[in-house]
Amino acid sequence: MKLAVNYSLPLIDLISKNKIKVDLIKCPDWEGMLYEAQPYGKTTIHFDLDVGLGSTFKVDFNRLKWFKQNTETPHFNTHLVTPRNFDANSHEAQRNMITLWHDEINLMIENFGASQVALEHFPYTSAAPHIKFAADSEIFSKVIQDTGCMLLLDLAHARITADTLGIDVKDYIKSLPLDRLVEMHITGVQKHNGVLTDHFGLDQKDWELLNWALEHIHDGHWRKPKILAFEYGGVGEVFAWRTRVEVLESQVPRLYRAVHG
């Protein structure tokens, strides 16, 4: 298992000064950012892919393969989503959505192989009520089982979804197909504009959830993922305001010890 951390200028600065160590620098599928990150360490790509919108049919699979071949990326990730106008009360809409999910995932499998496709659950919040159907752990798990693809477990997404549903986050996670786990994400969760949101530094609840997950991985109850990604920090308006060097300097070494300890 390797520790990956989101690319950001503060991260690069800390790495260049030997103040922190990471196994992988996590980048989106942007050539420019990849070239900026590679002088500072090995890189992995988190692809901006979704299934449920029909966009997979327009993907340049050769481009994705190029990114994987030129980085340490172990597999191709995609999110399970529904469009904003999805009517979850319609059985026909549900059937059509499940068919579309399968068609898009199977297209990825045709290009990469089932073991190379990792499906990630999206966070269900009051601001995104249309996601509830895709975030349902039973429905999400069945898609993985039916297609034979792998699981990308996002602990922050699970915490947000469980909070919205009013259930225990550990129960939500345990209902997922953890025998197919290949990647795990962690960030802090806070209220932002009245909605529980991820990509913050870790608080005590986040550390407790991570330690609980790592215990199950290290004792063999869950499949060991290839990557634990700390999805903190980034560039641009969405991430720059919540990228603090002191958070990276204090939390990345602790995460590195947790992964390799």
Side-chain angles (χ1 to χ4, degrees):
M1 185 163 51
K2 296 180 179 180
L3 175 66
V5 181
N6 276 12
Y7 173 92
S8 68
L9 294 179
L11 178 79
I12 295 303
D13 183 59
L14 290 169
I15 291 173
S16 66
K17 294 176 180 176
N18 293 317
K19 291 187 174 182
I20 61 172
K21 178 188 284 188
V22 303
D23 298 309
L24 299 166
I25 302 169
K26 179 173 162 289
C27 299
D29 51 347
W30 302 352
E31 290 91 339
M33 185 179 291
L34 177 61
Y35 293 141
E36 289 178 10
Q38 284 180 324
Y40 299 95
K42 295 179 179 180
T43 53
T44 186
I45 300 296
H46 189 65
F47 295 98
D48 184 20
L49 297 172
D50 301 307
V51 295
L53 306 177
S55 53
T56 309
F57 303 125
K58 304 174 185 178
V59 166
D60 182 349
F61 290 104
N62 288 328
R63 178 177 178 272
L64 302 190
K65 290 175 182 177
W66 179 89
F67 275 106
K68 188 173 185 298
Q69 290 165 358
N70 288 276
T71 63
E72 301 292 316
T73 308
H75 39 249
F76 300 90
N77 64 282
T78 189
H79 302 91
L80 195 75
V81 301
T82 52
R84 288 196 172 271
N85 63 353
F86 175 69
D87 181 6
N89 295 316
S90 167
H91 293 301
E92 181 180 4
Q94 291 180 11
R95 288 192 297 270
N96 291 341
M97 182 53 56
I98 291 170
T99 298
L100 179 59
W101 286 338
H102 285 199
D103 289 346
E104 291 193 70
I105 293 170
N106 285 332
L107 180 59
M108 292 186 69
I109 289 172
E110 287 175 17
N111 280 272
F112 308 132
S115 66
Q116 294 291 294
V117 178
L119 192 63
E120 180 178 359
H121 51 106
F122 210 73
Y124 165 51
T125 71
S126 58
H130 61 287
I131 291 295
K132 183 177 182 180
F133 185 69
D136 183 291
S137 61
E138 183 177 347
I139 294 169
F140 178 85
S141 299
K142 192 170 189 313
V143 172
I144 287 182
Q145 291 161 358
D146 289 347
T147 60
C149 67
M150 311 306 285
L151 168 66
L152 194 163
L153 169 62
D154 190 307
L155 297 175
H157 288 184
R159 188 175 162 194
I160 292 169
T161 298
D163 182 82
T164 306
L165 293 172
I167 62 175
D168 185 82
V169 62
K170 293 180 181 178
D171 290 337
Y172 179 84
I173 292 171
K174 287 187 289 187
S175 66
L176 300 175
L178 297 162
D179 60 323
R180 306 195 70 78
L181 178 62
V182 291
E183 184 169 341
M184 189 163 71
H185 293 174
I186 181 68
T187 62
V189 174
Q190 295 181 22
K191 279 286 181 71
H192 178 63
N193 292 330
V195 178
L196 208 57
T197 306
D198 56 355
H199 300 294
F200 291 94
L202 304 176
D203 64 15
Q204 188 59 34
K205 288 185 178 180
D206 301 312
W207 285 111
E208 289 173 359
L209 184 61
L210 175 62
N211 290 335
W212 172 79
L214 289 175
E215 285 175 7
H216 283 74
I217 290 167
H218 291 317
D219 66 17
H221 288 139
W222 298 3
R223 180 182 177 130
K224 181 180 288 188
K226 296 180 179 179
I227 289 176
L228 169 66
F230 184 34
E231 291 194 306
Y232 178 82
V235 298
E237 188 175 335
V238 174
F239 290 106
W241 66 271
R242 47 183 164 172
T243 304
R244 297 169 54 193
V245 65
E246 59 268 28
V247 171
L248 291 166
E249 193 168 9
S250 65
Q251 297 193 351
V252 169
R254 184 174 172 181
L255 285 164
Y256 191 88
R257 291 192 299 270
V259 168
H260 295 287

